[in-house]
Amino acid sequence: DEVDYRSELSRLAVWCRDNNLSLNVEITKEIVVDFRRAHTQHAPLTINGASVERVSSTKLLGVHITEDLSWTNNTSALAKKSQQRLYFLRKLRRARAPAPIMYTFYRGTIESILTSCITVWFGACNASCQKTLQHIVKAAERIIGVPLPSLQDIYSTRLTKKALCIAADPSHPMQSFFSLLPSGRRLRSLQARTSRLKDSFFHQAVRKLNSLPALPPLPSSAPQTSCTVTPIRPSGS
C-alpha cells in the first residue's frame, strides 16, 4: 500500500513550497527495495507534476546504495578511489619521506575514504568485499613500513562509540532500540529472521555493547516527560 508513502511526499512538496524551498526533481531519485518473490509494478512517482527517475542504485553522501541493499558497488567505488591514492603514497616513499609523514598522508587521503560511513555498510559487507578493502590497507602498510589499524578494528571502535551516543541520547528517535533488561547489565536483544536484518547497524550495535566486559551507564528507557522551552529574543529585536 503506497498511499501513505505518496501522501507523505505530497506533504513534503507542500512544506517546501510554503517555506520558499525548491525540490530539484531532476536530481531526485527513487529506489524501490522489495525482497518479495512476486514483484509489484509501481506507478511512477511525481513531484509537482514532474516524474521522478527510478534507479537501481544511487550515491548518497558518498555511499553507493542499491535496491538489493548489497555493498558490492560501494566497495568497488571505495577500492578504486583508494588505489589511486596509493600511487601518491609510493611517490612519498621514493622521495624518502619519513614514516610519520606517510602515515599522516594515509590517514587523511586513504583511510578516510575506506572508513567513510563505515558503521552503515561494513557490518553487512560480505567477506569478499571486506577482503578487497583490507588488501588496500595491507598494501599501504607495506609502503609505509609501520602497522596500520585494520578496518574491522576501526569499525568496532566507531560502532561502539556511535551506539553509546545513541543509547545515551533520549531525544534520538532510535534510542528505544537500546533498552536495558531488568538486571541493568545487558541490553535487550533485537530479533531478526534474516541475515540482512541481523547484520544491520542496530542489531550489530546491541550485540557489540552486550559483548563489552561492563556496560557503560545508560539512561533508563522510561518515557521522558515533556517540557516547554521559551526562546530568548536578542536585545533590540
Side-chain angles (χ1 to χ4, degrees):
D1 185 3
E2 302 178 14
V3 175
D4 291 340
Y5 166 52
R6 296 179 182 275
S7 176
E8 184 66 24
L9 189 63
S10 297
R11 289 195 294 269
L12 173 63
V14 171
W15 184 90
C16 290
R17 184 192 60 201
D18 294 343
N19 289 273
N20 299 319
L21 297 175
S22 177
L23 285 174
N24 191 340
V25 182
E26 293 183 359
I27 64 173
T28 300
K29 310 298 179 184
E30 181 189 30
I31 292 182
V32 177
V33 180
D34 188 357
F35 295 106
R36 294 176 299 179
R37 294 181 179 179
H39 294 286
T40 304
Q41 293 296 327
H42 303 275
L45 188 67
T46 59
I47 298 178
N48 298 328
S51 180
V52 176
E53 180 184 4
R54 181 173 296 158
V55 296
S56 60
S57 65
T58 190
K59 186 178 179 181
L60 177 64
L61 299 178
V63 179
H64 292 261
I65 303 174
T66 59
E67 61 184 359
D68 61 355
L69 299 185
S70 67
W71 299 104
T72 304
N73 290 358
N74 188 65
T75 299
S76 300
L78 295 180
K80 180 179 179 181
K81 196 172 183 180
S82 300
Q83 287 170 346
Q84 292 172 346
R85 282 153 176 75
L86 283 177
Y87 166 80
F88 298 103
L89 192 60
R90 294 188 179 96
K91 295 285 285 186
L92 285 175
R93 185 181 63 176
R94 295 192 189 102
R96 300 184 182 279
I101 297 296
M102 290 191 289
Y103 178 73
T104 301
F105 179 85
Y106 165 79
R107 290 288 309 277
T109 62
I110 300 177
E111 184 184 276
S112 61
I113 294 173
L114 294 174
T115 60
S116 177
C117 298
I118 192 171
T119 55
V120 173
W121 52 264
F122 189 82
C125 271
N126 56 39
S128 176
C129 290
Q130 294 184 10
K131 185 177 180 180
T132 297
L133 298 179
Q134 186 60 34
H135 179 74
I136 298 174
V137 177
K138 289 295 184 182
E141 193 173 70
R142 291 191 296 269
I143 296 172
I144 301 174
V146 298
L148 300 174
S150 68
L151 294 180
Q152 180 64 54
D153 291 341
I154 295 175
Y155 168 71
S156 298
T157 300
R158 296 192 183 181
L159 179 69
T160 303
K161 183 178 179 181
K162 189 67 176 177
L164 289 175
C165 287
I166 296 176
D169 182 8
S171 65
H172 196 285
M174 301 301 181
Q175 197 256 359
S176 59
F177 286 151
F178 300 92
S179 61
L180 289 170
L181 292 172
S183 65
R185 293 192 296 267
R186 287 177 58 85
L187 296 172
R188 193 177 305 277
S189 299
L190 301 178
Q191 301 299 319
R193 292 188 298 175
T194 63
S195 59
R196 186 183 302 108
L197 181 58
K198 184 179 179 181
D199 293 336
S200 63
F201 168 79
F202 288 103
H203 287 70
Q204 294 234 20
V206 169
R207 291 198 300 271
K208 180 62 178 179
L209 293 185
N210 282 336
S211 68
L212 298 177
L215 192 66
L218 298 176
S220 172
S221 57
Q224 301 294 313
T225 56
S226 60
C227 63
T228 303
V229 179
T230 303
I232 301 176
R233 294 186 178 182
S235 59
S237 62

